[in-house]
Amino acid sequence: MILTESFYTRKDVVKIAKELLGKVLVTNIDGIQTSGMIVETEAYAGVGDKASHAYGNRRTNRTEIMFRNGGSAYVYLCYGIHHLFNVVTNVQDVPHAVLIRAIEPLEGIEYMLERRNKEKLTPALTAGPGAMSAALGIVTSHTGLLLRDDAIYIEDRGIKVPAKDIVAATRVGVAYAQEDAMLPYRFYIKGNKYVSKGKGL
DNA sequence: CAAACGATTTTCT
DNA sequence: GAAAATCGTTTGG
């Protein structure tokens, strides 16, 4: 079943990040359906989190999406090249989000390979936030879409991830966040090949 | 209005 | 292992 608004509007973004592991992210873009199981996420706890774009209640045109009610997509362009896909959580005016960092390809693998200009399936196809977005066809113009729309949604296919297979670690690429960079806000499925290497693990 | 920078990936040495 | 690619957002003048 497709996750409903009540899944996203809960207040514990760290818990949601953990629960998203094993869920299936589906995109329907340009008439092509592609999907993959989420194997790696990161929580961004809004106002009090220096690594978040919304730290200190910073409200700009770009971050406005995060202040919405949970269940929207927040797509951000990084380094002018990479489209990073986030899920907005919590209720209106609380800018929490979960960055989806990696998936294990399920459907439409041939189209993902084509989008990424690759010949054969390797973990590099979807391991990492920029790579994953490219494979699924996600771009910044999808920001603000509801995750209940046809274009992008997340569903529960009954995949259960045992608690012992969920690993908590520090987030990637947020060294500038000082003490908040030490928080165990990154979660991934132990042993899964499609988990990104990151930089400091 | 101009300048600096980044929740990354790829490629070259 | 190191550096480049590349542009929207943010911040300062």
Side-chain angles (χ1 to χ4, degrees):
Chain A
M1 63 174 247
I2 295 177
L3 297 181
T4 55
E5 185 170 296
S6 60
F7 178 90
Y8 302 106
T9 53
R10 289 173 299 159
K11 315 225 184 246
D12 190 346
V13 64
V14 173
K15 182 175 177 177
I16 294 173
K18 230 183 284 186
E19 290 183 4
L20 279 172
L21 294 176
K23 298 290 186 290
V24 177
L25 175 60
V26 184
T27 63
N28 242 310
I29 292 161
D30 294 331
I32 297 172
Q33 175 165 313
T34 50
S35 68
M37 179 179 77
I38 297 170
V39 299
E40 184 179 359
T41 63
E42 280 182 9
Y44 283 86
V47 175
D49 183 356
K50 288 187 184 171
S52 170
H53 291 153
Y55 171 65
N57 219 37
R58 193 169 42 191
R59 209 165 172 148
T60 65
N61 279 340
R62 180 177 66 155
T63 62
E64 188 64 30
I65 301 291
M66 285 201 280
F67 288 83
R68 285 202 201 166
N69 203 25
S72 290
Y74 170 47
V75 185
Y76 152 72
L77 182 66
C78 187
Y79 294 94
I81 306 173
H82 307 290
H83 304 268
L84 275 55
F85 174 73
N86 303 251
V87 171
V88 177
T89 70
N90 215 308
V91 296
Q92 179 119 16
D93 296 324
V94 184
H96 288 186
V98 176
L99 170 68
I100 309 299
R101 290 190 56 83
I103 63 169
E104 176 178 326
L106 292 177
E107 297 158 273
I109 292 175
E110 56 196 293
Y111 297 108
M112 295 195 231
L113 290 171
E114 190 179 312
R115 282 176 180 142
R116 299 260 297 135
N117 247 330
K118 301 219 172 228
E119 301 265 310
K120 57 179 204 181
L121 181 60
T122 67
L125 181 68
T126 55
M132 180 213 76
S133 299
L136 291 175
I138 295 172
V139 293
T140 54
S141 62
H142 296 124
T143 207
L145 285 183
L146 285 177
L147 296 175
R148 194 171 320 118
D149 281 0
D150 211 37
I152 305 177
Y153 56 90
I154 297 175
E155 64 181 353
D156 186 343
R157 295 192 179 174
I159 300 171
K160 294 271 194 288
V161 181
K164 68 174 172 54
D165 287 347
I166 295 179
V167 183
T170 55
R171 291 174 292 186
V172 175
V174 295
Y176 64 88
Q178 302 167 36
E179 72 271 17
D180 285 336
M182 304 300 289
L183 294 170
Y185 278 2
R186 174 178 175 226
F187 302 99
Y188 60 93
I189 297 180
K190 192 178 187 176
N192 190 290
K193 289 182 303 196
Y194 294 90
V195 173
S196 75
K197 299 279 180 283
K199 287 214 161 105
L201 187 79

